Amino acid sequence: MSDRVYVAKLPKTSSEIISEAKAALNPSLYVKPLTTNRPFTPRERVFFCNRRTNRPPSAFKLQQVQLQEKKKTSCTKLPALYNTKYSTANNLDCKKEIKRQTQSSSPNTTRRRSNSDVANNANISRKKISSLSFPLSIDTLLKNHYEQNMYDHEYMSHENEINEARALCFDVHTDCLWIVSLIETKMKKNFETSEMCSLLNKLAMAIKRENLSVIRDENKKETILKTVFKLVNTSPDDELTVHILLVLLQMQVTGKYLATVCKLIFKISRLDKNDNLFLETNILTLFVDILGLATPHEDSESLIYGYGALKFLTMNPDLMERAMNNGCLSLMLLHLKMINLERTERQILPETINHVLYQLTGTLRNVVNDRKFYVELLSSGGLMTIYRALELFSGDIDVVTNISRILSIMSTDEKCCEALVECWSNVSVLMSVIEKYPGQEEIVVRITYALGNILTNNENARHQLYETHCSMGTFLNLMQLYLEKDLNNISRDVKFNIVEDVLIKIIRVIVNMSIQPEIGAKLVKVADDYHPVHKVKECEQFLDSLLTILRRKSIDENEELVLAALAALNNLSYYADMSNPNCGPFGARQLDITQALSLLLTTRNHFCKVEVARVFGNLTRSATVRDYLLETSGLLAVTNCLDSGDIELLVVCCGVLVNMTSDENNRQAFKNYNGVSKMVNILRSSGERNWTLSSLICQTLWNVCSDSDSFPGDPIVVLDTLVKLTDEEQLFGELLSSDEEKVAEYKQWEDFASVATNLLEWLDELLEGRFDNIEQ
């Protein structure tokens, strides 16, 4: 880079370049990884995207999921009650009371139960209620419900009125079927939602108390389901539906009834305004539990809508937290493993399993948005399972899109990157996905983003990817494809230009791969017995694309893309042999690159100016480039950057000037541009705060003065400054080995002192009178 002293004009060998690169991977002066923003993903509650047909509908009629009766049954009349404790007189009183209540309103007229109605019912004395010819439990009344005879419906209507009055008067643990009868009565009237929700809550609690008896008693279970499904079709109110679902979930329904539950929950979850209904009840906890009873093969319809609902609900952080606390992540990974296993055993799977996988991976994409779940994902081998699903279902574009989003998000975590490298022992999976869907921006941008993250810190990953057959060719062909799309203004009407983002991510993969010294040297190597011609052609193709970007794109409108192209040129030119125009692709195109960069030297964009200076720090190792910059006022532009006051820009510009002042013509021009005095001022004001910058300044001043018998300025000022900056005892005192930060600074100071001492000695000799001509 720019701070290497240009002394001899002999070309550096590849081994020398690699050795220098290894020592320079950490400092920002040299090759460095490229960072970028995560691809944009819209957060919308969408069931399926529009890329494929034959998807399950997101809208459905509830009649499609009604209870299917096993057989037509009939009922019998209630048996006569012969218990002696109920007297005939009491029975007559009871019947008179029923007749009086039922005759008070016309059978064809419906009305709401007001507070006065409740009060009138409550006036029935405890004594009279206790003397009714009905047991407190309705089980006995209905035990012959499915025999061949029918109930007297008028008689049952009277009974429901009595039961309702009894329930309102006493806070007792009621039987499930008793509450069902009250619900049936309410359904015949214009009921209020809150009133019906209260009854459904009581029914859910009763079912919970009678859990086993309800589950095992098919007659009781079917009676409850018949009433509940009738209520579903009666009212579309979402709040009422949630309370209906609480009843169904407490019953632990399976099969077609589970599919009904999942569709109802899906229907409610589509609107984010309904999230509070899930937060205010325990429906989500029960829902996760009941999904654990399903399998992807046998209950695919249930899981399609079940995971579709969870995909919507996990967009709410509070609901996602609740679902995860109830084991939702473990359940999803279990279902994912089951799907993977079935795919390995069967070549052709029902399409419904792919639909389940799409919803499941969509839910996982929401989950991995929260880093606190990464520990469980990694410890359970979940990332390996997800990666395996990508390999097995690479033909499903929607599933691939979801998994690419998961990998994109998780690759932002260092531990996840390490786990991904372990997963991708066969890295060709990712490459084959890119090759299979080259025109799918949403897939390509995410996989290349994940690759760029992985390559940032993982040396093994860089080698694996570079050595994968035709990997560079694949990336370069993609780059050419999307560059043509971008230049043809495709997707220019889109608010977020994903085409340009794909270009950035592809460049970043190559940049981050090239920070490995061996790979970087191979990318720019000249053809020989071990480096075929097509590899050289790849580098030339990459250079052509980068130059097209620099010439056709504006730093003001396409800042990130231009900066990515400059970072690529910086990393690759670092390894290039710039001394011989015929040695390698960079040597052959050095003037083209220099011309494109020169147009950006005077930009007002600070980041762009820094990156351009970095590249020139490498390119100015070539005499041809140095001469070009002198002739086109490039040296003046770099010298003017010394007035910026920005340390980062000063460092890279001083690196360029070290190389530029290696030529006699450039030294004189540098003096004429007042460069020496500018550097002396920087050394006095910032020397102690940045030893790298001070070292580069001393090296430039040494180049300017080393073959001269005079100093262009006041040597005493420089001498005094160097004396202070090289005073080890005053600067560091007793160095403590335990102070790592101090040790690191001391090492930087030593590098500075080795250069500054030469300049100090030369100035000292100058002031002692060894040279007679001191330029004023």
Side-chain angles (χ1 to χ4, degrees):
M1 183 49 190
S2 54
D3 64 328
R4 286 178 289 177
V5 182
Y6 186 87
V7 179
K9 295 186 177 181
L10 293 176
K12 295 183 184 299
T13 64
S14 296
S15 61
E16 288 174 333
I17 294 173
I18 292 172
S19 298
E20 292 177 357
K22 286 181 178 179
L25 283 177
N26 290 328
S28 58
L29 297 175
Y30 303 96
V31 292
K32 61 175 185 175
L34 178 63
T35 59
T36 185
N37 298 320
R38 209 176 86 190
F40 172 75
T41 299
R43 301 274 287 174
E44 300 175 341
R45 300 198 179 196
V46 178
F47 190 34
F48 281 101
C49 56
N50 299 321
R51 280 189 291 265
R52 293 191 57 188
T53 58
N54 301 323
R55 293 297 198 186
S58 59
F60 48 83
K61 295 181 179 180
L62 294 178
Q63 284 77 4
Q64 296 173 349
V65 293
Q66 285 194 48
L67 173 76
Q68 180 179 345
E69 299 183 30
K70 291 181 289 187
K71 61 179 181 178
K72 187 174 181 179
T73 60
S74 59
C75 304
T76 185
K77 292 183 178 181
L78 288 174
L81 299 177
Y82 298 105
N83 195 323
T84 56
K85 72 175 182 178
Y86 299 110
S87 65
T88 304
N90 285 338
N91 285 335
L92 292 175
D93 290 341
C94 176
K95 291 179 180 179
K96 290 178 182 180
E97 179 67 22
I98 293 172
K99 186 174 182 180
R100 185 189 66 75
Q101 290 185 17
T102 56
Q103 287 177 350
S104 63
S105 61
S106 171
N108 297 324
T109 305
T110 60
R111 62 186 179 89
R112 294 185 178 182
R113 180 171 296 278
S114 64
N115 293 333
S116 60
D117 295 329
V118 176
N120 289 334
N121 285 329
N123 287 332
I124 302 175
S125 66
R126 290 176 179 266
K127 181 177 179 181
K128 182 168 288 188
I129 290 178
S130 65
S131 66
L132 297 179
S133 300
F134 304 98
L136 288 177
S137 174
I138 202 171
D139 277 342
T140 306
L141 290 172
L142 301 182
K143 66 180 181 179
N144 295 318
H145 184 69
Y146 294 98
E147 295 184 3
Q148 294 300 316
N149 297 320
M150 296 291 294
Y151 272 113
D152 183 334
H153 293 290
E154 182 181 358
Y155 190 68
M156 284 298 297
S157 177
H158 301 331
E159 175 225 331
N160 287 338
E161 293 286 348
I162 300 290
N163 284 340
E164 186 175 356
R166 182 184 296 140
L168 292 169
C169 290
F170 300 102
D171 185 16
V172 295
H173 291 326
T174 50
D175 179 88
C176 292
L177 295 184
W178 186 4
I179 303 176
V180 169
S181 68
L182 299 183
I183 293 174
E184 289 278 6
T185 302
K186 288 289 183 186
M187 289 170 59
K188 296 175 183 178
K189 306 175 183 180
N190 290 331
F191 60 83
E192 293 184 0
T193 299
S194 60
E195 206 171 5
M196 185 62 78
C197 288
S198 177
L199 283 174
L200 288 169
N201 277 341
K202 290 183 179 180
L203 179 57
M205 288 186 290
I207 292 172
K208 185 177 181 179
R209 285 194 303 271
E210 304 174 35
N211 187 21
L212 291 178
S213 66
V214 172
I215 293 174
R216 293 175 179 175
D217 189 335
E218 290 296 329
N219 291 334
K220 181 183 289 188
K221 187 175 181 179
E222 192 161 340
T223 301
I224 298 172
L225 291 173
K226 182 184 294 185
T227 299
V228 169
F229 285 135
K230 191 186 300 181
L231 185 58
V232 169
N233 293 324
T234 300
S235 174
D237 186 271
D238 288 339
E239 182 181 359
L240 182 62
T241 303
V242 166
H243 288 82
I244 291 171
L245 286 166
L246 288 172
V247 173
L248 295 173
L249 291 169
Q250 286 289 0
M251 296 178 69
Q252 298 181 13
V253 293
T254 57
K256 63 181 183 302
Y257 303 133
L258 176 58
T260 300
V261 169
C262 292
K263 287 184 177 181
L264 289 174
I265 292 180
F266 170 80
K267 173 179 173 289
I268 301 171
S269 65
R270 294 184 68 180
L271 301 175
D272 55 7
K273 69 178 183 179
N274 289 333
D275 286 356
N276 283 335
L277 297 176
F278 292 89
L279 289 169
E280 293 166 357
T281 64
N282 68 333
I283 184 172
L284 187 55
T285 301
L286 296 172
F287 183 47
V288 173
D289 289 342
I290 204 171
L291 281 184
L293 303 176
T295 63
H297 181 71
E298 297 178 355
D299 305 284
S300 55
E301 185 181 22
S302 299
L303 293 181
I304 289 171
Y305 289 97
Y307 279 121
L310 282 175
K311 180 174 68 175
F312 296 157
L313 295 175
T314 50
M315 291 181 181
N316 184 309
D318 295 329
L319 289 174
M320 180 167 68
E321 183 83 20
R322 183 175 297 185
M324 295 303 106
N325 289 341
N326 286 278
C328 187
L329 181 55
S330 299
L331 176 62
M332 287 190 289
L333 294 177
L334 175 62
H335 281 156
L336 186 56
K337 288 178 181 178
M338 294 170 70
I339 293 173
N340 286 350
L341 180 61
E342 190 156 358
R343 183 55 184 265
T344 57
E345 295 176 348
R346 299 169 58 187
Q347 289 295 325
I348 300 177
L349 291 179
E351 187 69 12
T352 52
I353 291 185
N354 283 65
H355 301 333
V356 173
L357 183 59
Y358 174 74
Q359 301 302 334
L360 194 159
T361 51
T363 308
L364 276 172
R365 179 253 175 268
N366 292 339
V367 172
V368 299
N369 224 30
D370 194 328
R371 290 176 178 267
K372 63 174 166 283
F373 303 120
Y374 287 5
V375 175
E376 181 179 351
L377 245 174
L378 295 177
S379 62
S380 64
L383 195 53
M384 177 75 77
T385 304
I386 294 169
Y387 191 79
R388 179 63 171 157
L390 176 65
E391 181 179 7
L392 294 172
F393 293 89
S394 61
D396 190 320
I397 185 173
D398 293 334
V399 171
V400 170
T401 300
N402 278 344
I403 295 180
S404 68
R405 287 174 174 174
I406 294 171
L407 298 179
S408 170
I409 298 169
M410 296 196 70
S411 68
T412 59
D413 182 85
E414 187 174 346
K415 290 184 178 179
C416 291
C417 282
E418 294 174 1
L420 278 171
V421 174
E422 294 178 5
C423 293
W424 78 346
S425 54
N426 185 8
V427 69
S428 59
V429 173
L430 293 177
M431 297 306 300
S432 65
V433 168
I434 293 177
E435 291 171 352
K436 185 175 290 187
Y437 303 105
Q440 294 296 326
E441 294 93 343
E442 290 190 4
I443 294 175
V444 175
V445 74
R446 287 172 175 83
I447 290 184
T448 50
Y449 174 73
L451 285 172
N453 289 340
I454 294 169
L455 297 173
T456 299
N457 298 309
N458 197 297
E459 181 178 339
N460 292 332
R462 297 179 201 129
H463 285 290
Q464 287 183 38
L465 185 60
Y466 179 76
E467 292 167 4
T468 299
H469 181 63
C470 293
S471 61
M472 276 297 297
T474 299
F475 292 127
L476 294 174
N477 291 337
L478 280 173
M479 189 173 177
Q480 184 65 32
L481 170 66
Y482 283 94
L483 186 56
E484 291 176 359
K485 280 187 177 184
D486 191 66
L487 295 177
N488 291 332
N489 291 323
I490 295 178
S491 78
R492 188 64 69 197
D493 56 337
V494 179
K495 182 178 180 181
F496 187 84
N497 190 356
I498 191 172
V499 172
E500 182 174 307
D501 201 33
V502 172
L503 282 172
I504 295 168
K505 271 50 175 183
I506 294 173
I507 294 173
R508 180 171 178 252
V509 170
I510 300 175
V511 169
N512 290 357
M513 189 162 52
S514 69
I515 63 179
Q516 193 66 28
E518 295 86 346
I519 296 174
K522 288 179 181 178
L523 288 174
V524 297
K525 190 177 180 182
V526 67
D528 57 25
D529 295 339
Y530 302 100
H531 194 68
V533 175
H534 77 269
K535 289 292 184 182
V536 179
K537 295 293 184 183
E538 288 176 350
C539 184
E540 293 175 352
Q541 182 181 346
F542 188 42
L543 282 176
D544 287 338
S545 298
L546 294 177
L547 289 174
T548 300
I549 291 172
L550 294 180
R551 289 166 177 162
R552 301 284 297 275
K553 292 296 181 178
S554 164
I555 184 62
D556 296 325
E557 297 178 2
N558 315 98
E559 180 181 30
E560 189 177 3
L561 178 59
V562 172
L563 293 179
L566 291 173
L569 286 174
N570 173 66
N571 282 16
L572 294 182
S573 62
Y574 178 81
Y575 301 102
D577 183 0
M578 302 302 303
S579 60
N580 186 352
N582 300 319
C583 189
F586 264 88
R589 303 294 301 276
Q590 56 182 288
L591 274 182
D592 291 338
I593 298 171
T594 302
Q595 290 170 355
L597 292 176
S598 296
L599 300 175
L600 296 171
L601 258 181
T602 56
T603 179
R604 294 181 179 180
N605 186 297
H606 166 75
F607 301 104
C608 179
K609 191 174 292 187
V610 169
E611 292 304 320
V612 169
R614 288 183 193 279
V615 183
F616 273 131
N618 297 323
L619 295 180
T620 50
R621 298 195 307 257
S622 166
T624 303
V625 173
R626 296 196 298 274
D627 292 340
Y628 180 87
L629 289 178
L630 178 62
E631 294 170 3
T632 58
S633 301
L635 176 59
L636 175 62
V638 175
T639 304
N640 288 338
C641 290
L642 297 177
D643 298 324
S644 69
D646 181 83
I647 295 298
E648 184 180 22
L649 181 59
L650 290 175
V651 169
V652 293
C653 286
C654 286
V656 176
L657 293 172
V658 168
N659 289 342
M660 291 294 294
T661 54
S662 62
D663 295 335
E664 184 176 353
N665 293 338
N666 292 334
R667 295 172 198 159
Q668 188 58 48
F670 181 67
K671 294 177 185 178
N672 296 337
Y673 298 149
N674 203 26
V676 173
S677 62
K678 291 181 180 182
M679 283 196 160
V680 171
N681 291 334
I682 296 171
L683 185 66
R684 294 176 63 189
S685 61
S686 305
E688 191 174 333
R689 294 196 298 271
N690 192 307
W691 298 116
T692 300
L693 176 60
S694 298
S695 178
L696 292 171
I697 290 174
C698 289
Q699 184 62 62
T700 305
L701 294 177
W702 173 258
N703 285 355
V704 171
C705 304
S706 59
D707 61 347
S708 174
D709 56 0
S710 63
F711 185 81
D714 187 353
I716 297 178
V717 174
V718 182
L719 186 66
D720 291 342
T721 302
L722 292 177
V723 168
K724 294 177 182 178
L725 294 178
T726 55
D727 190 337
E728 178 179 355
E729 184 175 351
Q730 182 178 355
L731 291 171
F732 296 96
E734 296 182 1
L735 183 62
L736 300 177
S737 59
S738 58
D739 190 345
E740 295 182 2
E741 184 176 348
K742 201 71 173 176
V743 170
E745 182 185 356
Y746 181 77
K747 289 181 179 179
Q748 293 179 359
W749 175 84
E750 280 187 320
D751 294 335
F752 157 76
S754 64
V755 177
T757 301
N758 292 332
L759 181 60
L760 184 63
E761 291 176 352
W762 182 86
L763 290 170
D764 190 43
E765 292 177 357
L766 180 67
L767 292 175
E768 287 179 356
R770 294 192 177 184
F771 299 105
D772 298 327
N773 298 322
I774 299 178
E775 187 174 316
Q776 300 299 324

